[in-house]
């Protein structure tokens, strides 16, 4: 492979970064801080606010609906082919769904907002149990990853 192709590929991919958080309200700002750090390390500024907001919603859902006995949730962040992907995994078996809240309802809008802000989202099962809810963002600007970040 020629040098420019290797360098271009290095800019396109990063190893996923994962962190575990306790299933507690204080974990939402901790998860946002983690994402801020990862995006800063990777020099990703495009879609920054959308990514943080969607992570907040998914982390909150993991805390509120993460299932009995689930003491934690995991956040995984990856970047490949100009696509930022954030996954929030928890041990609950139930799959989230978008609601149709009434105007006076104080809850039920989170996934509607994720759907509006992200370029895609979905749910995948985890082994041995649980699920990961993912959201993706197309990153329009080519941004150089820091030294030491290598393709998978």
């Amino acid at each position: 492979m020629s040098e420019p192709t290797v360098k271009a590929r290095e800019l396109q991919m990063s190893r996923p970064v994962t962190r575990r958080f306790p299933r507690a309200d204080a974990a939402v700002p901790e998860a946002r801080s983690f994402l801020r750090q990862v995006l800063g390390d990777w020099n990703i500024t495009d879609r920054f606010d959308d990514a943080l907001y969607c992570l907040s919603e998914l982390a909150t859902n993991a805390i509120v609906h993460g299932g009995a006995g689930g003491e934690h949730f995991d956040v995984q962040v990856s970047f490949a082919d100009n696509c930022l992907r954030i996954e929030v995994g928890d041990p609950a078996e139930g799959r989230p769904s978008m609601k149709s809240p009434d105007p006076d309802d104080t809850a039920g809008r989170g996934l509607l907002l994720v759907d509006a802000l992200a370029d895609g989202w979905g749910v995948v099962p985890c082994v041995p149990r649980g699920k990961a809810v993912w959201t993706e963002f197309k990153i329009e600007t080519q941004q150089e990853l820091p030294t030491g970040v290598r393709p998978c």
Side-chain angles (χ1 to χ4, degrees), residues 17-86:
V17 179
T18 304
R19 183 163 165 205
R20 180 162 283 178
F21 296 92
R23 203 168 142 221
D25 292 342
V28 174
E30 291 173 18
R32 283 194 305 262
S33 180
F34 165 69
L35 181 59
R36 273 189 208 95
Q37 180 67 47
V38 170
L39 296 182
D41 289 349
W42 292 349
N43 298 317
I44 296 175
T45 57
D46 191 29
R47 309 291 302 275
F48 187 84
D49 291 333
D50 292 346
L52 284 173
Y53 185 83
C54 289
L55 171 61
S56 295
E57 288 298 331
L58 299 183
T60 299
N61 284 351
I63 291 166
V64 173
H65 307 291
E71 297 176 6
H72 65 271
F73 65 94
D74 297 318
V75 175
Q76 179 173 290
V77 185
S78 59
F79 182 68
D81 299 323
N82 287 349
C83 183
L84 174 67
R85 183 178 175 111
I86 301 165

Side-chain angles (χ1 to χ4, degrees), residues 127-144:
V127 175
R129 64 185 183 119
K131 66 182 171 308
V133 183
W134 58 266
T135 185
E136 293 181 336
F137 303 88
K138 294 176 187 168
I139 304 300
E140 298 298 329
T141 57
Q142 182 68 349
Q143 298 165 337
E144 188 171 330

